[in-house]
PDB file of all heavy atoms in Angstrom:
ATOM      1  N   SER A 692      11.953   0.367 -16.519  1.00  0.00           N
ATOM      2  CA  SER A 692      11.005   0.732 -17.612  1.00  0.00           C
ATOM      3  C   SER A 692      10.376  -0.514 -18.162  1.00  0.00           C
ATOM      4  O   SER A 692      11.016  -1.580 -18.299  1.00  0.00           O
ATOM      5  CB  SER A 692      11.740   1.516 -18.649  1.00  0.00           C
ATOM      6  OG  SER A 692      10.875   1.795 -19.740  1.00  0.00           O
ATOM      7  N   LEU A 693       9.105  -0.376 -18.618  1.00  0.00           N
ATOM      8  CA  LEU A 693       8.423  -1.478 -19.321  1.00  0.00           C
ATOM      9  C   LEU A 693       8.828  -1.481 -20.777  1.00  0.00           C
ATOM     10  O   LEU A 693       8.500  -2.440 -21.563  1.00  0.00           O
ATOM     11  CB  LEU A 693       6.914  -1.289 -19.187  1.00  0.00           C
ATOM     12  CG  LEU A 693       6.363  -1.501 -17.803  1.00  0.00           C
ATOM     13  CD1 LEU A 693       4.832  -1.257 -17.788  1.00  0.00           C
ATOM     14  CD2 LEU A 693       6.593  -2.885 -17.292  1.00  0.00           C
ATOM     15  N   ASP A 694       9.565  -0.460 -21.228  1.00  0.00           N
ATOM     16  CA  ASP A 694      10.040  -0.394 -22.623  1.00  0.00           C
ATOM     17  C   ASP A 694      11.382  -1.286 -22.610  1.00  0.00           C
ATOM     18  O   ASP A 694      12.346  -0.927 -21.995  1.00  0.00           O
ATOM     19  CB  ASP A 694      10.338   1.029 -22.995  1.00  0.00           C
ATOM     20  CG  ASP A 694      10.768   1.188 -24.427  1.00  0.00           C
ATOM     21  OD1 ASP A 694      11.067   0.168 -25.057  1.00  0.00           O
ATOM     22  OD2 ASP A 694      10.821   2.327 -24.918  1.00  0.00           O
ATOM     23  N   SER A 695      11.318  -2.340 -23.416  1.00  0.00           N
ATOM     24  CA  SER A 695      12.501  -3.231 -23.494  1.00  0.00           C
ATOM     25  C   SER A 695      13.727  -2.555 -23.971  1.00  0.00           C
ATOM     26  O   SER A 695      14.849  -3.000 -23.727  1.00  0.00           O
ATOM     27  CB  SER A 695      12.146  -4.442 -24.358  1.00  0.00           C
ATOM     28  OG  SER A 695      11.802  -4.048 -25.646  1.00  0.00           O
ATOM     29  N   LYS A 696      13.627  -1.428 -24.683  1.00  0.00           N
ATOM     30  CA  LYS A 696      14.746  -0.731 -25.280  1.00  0.00           C
ATOM     31  C   LYS A 696      15.400   0.191 -24.206  1.00  0.00           C
ATOM     32  O   LYS A 696      16.594   0.627 -24.394  1.00  0.00           O
ATOM     33  CB  LYS A 696      14.373   0.075 -26.457  1.00  0.00           C
ATOM     34  CG  LYS A 696      13.795  -0.719 -27.634  1.00  0.00           C
ATOM     35  CD  LYS A 696      13.347   0.208 -28.746  1.00  0.00           C
ATOM     36  CE  LYS A 696      12.780  -0.562 -29.904  1.00  0.00           C
ATOM     37  NZ  LYS A 696      12.230   0.304 -30.991  1.00  0.00           N
ATOM     38  N   SER A 697      14.684   0.407 -23.123  1.00  0.00           N
ATOM     39  CA  SER A 697      15.276   1.351 -22.111  1.00  0.00           C
ATOM     40  C   SER A 697      16.102   0.587 -21.099  1.00  0.00           C
ATOM     41  O   SER A 697      15.732  -0.533 -20.725  1.00  0.00           O
ATOM     42  CB  SER A 697      14.060   2.056 -21.404  1.00  0.00           C
ATOM     43  OG  SER A 697      14.562   2.807 -20.266  1.00  0.00           O
ATOM     44  N   ASN A 698      17.142   1.184 -20.668  1.00  0.00           N
ATOM     45  CA  ASN A 698      17.997   0.606 -19.597  1.00  0.00           C
ATOM     46  C   ASN A 698      17.781   1.240 -18.226  1.00  0.00           C
ATOM     47  O   ASN A 698      18.653   1.215 -17.375  1.00  0.00           O
ATOM     48  CB  ASN A 698      19.499   0.706 -19.998  1.00  0.00           C
ATOM     49  CG  ASN A 698      19.974   2.120 -19.996  1.00  0.00           C
ATOM     50  OD1 ASN A 698      19.187   3.037 -20.183  1.00  0.00           O
ATOM     51  ND2 ASN A 698      21.316   2.346 -19.934  1.00  0.00           N
ATOM     52  N   LEU A 699      16.583   1.873 -18.095  1.00  0.00           N
ATOM     53  CA  LEU A 699      16.293   2.652 -16.891  1.00  0.00           C
ATOM     54  C   LEU A 699      16.347   1.726 -15.639  1.00  0.00           C
ATOM     55  O   LEU A 699      15.791   0.695 -15.633  1.00  0.00           O
ATOM     56  CB  LEU A 699      14.910   3.263 -16.963  1.00  0.00           C
ATOM     57  CG  LEU A 699      14.404   3.920 -15.655  1.00  0.00           C
ATOM     58  CD1 LEU A 699      15.228   5.128 -15.286  1.00  0.00           C
ATOM     59  CD2 LEU A 699      12.907   4.255 -15.827  1.00  0.00           C
ATOM     60  N   LYS A 700      16.992   2.235 -14.600  1.00  0.00           N
ATOM     61  CA  LYS A 700      16.959   1.608 -13.287  1.00  0.00           C
ATOM     62  C   LYS A 700      17.061   2.751 -12.289  1.00  0.00           C
ATOM     63  O   LYS A 700      18.002   3.461 -12.222  1.00  0.00           O
ATOM     64  CB  LYS A 700      18.188   0.657 -13.181  1.00  0.00           C
ATOM     65  CG  LYS A 700      18.041  -0.265 -11.885  1.00  0.00           C
ATOM     66  CD  LYS A 700      19.144  -1.316 -11.932  1.00  0.00           C
ATOM     67  CE  LYS A 700      18.893  -2.314 -10.780  1.00  0.00           C
ATOM     68  NZ  LYS A 700      19.943  -3.378 -10.772  1.00  0.00           N
ATOM     69  N   LEU A 701      15.955   2.861 -11.524  1.00  0.00           N
ATOM     70  CA  LEU A 701      15.984   3.943 -10.478  1.00  0.00           C
ATOM     71  C   LEU A 701      15.563   3.333  -9.208  1.00  0.00           C
ATOM     72  O   LEU A 701      14.830   2.329  -9.111  1.00  0.00           O
ATOM     73  CB  LEU A 701      15.047   5.091 -10.882  1.00  0.00           C
ATOM     74  CG  LEU A 701      13.539   4.907 -10.954  1.00  0.00           C
ATOM     75  CD1 LEU A 701      12.900   4.976  -9.563  1.00  0.00           C
ATOM     76  CD2 LEU A 701      12.921   5.898 -11.856  1.00  0.00           C
TER      77      LEU A 701
END
Side-chain angles (χ1 to χ4, degrees):
S692 175
L693 293 177
D694 185 348
S695 58
K696 296 177 183 178
S697 171
N698 67 338
L699 171 67
K700 192 171 187 179
L701 68 82

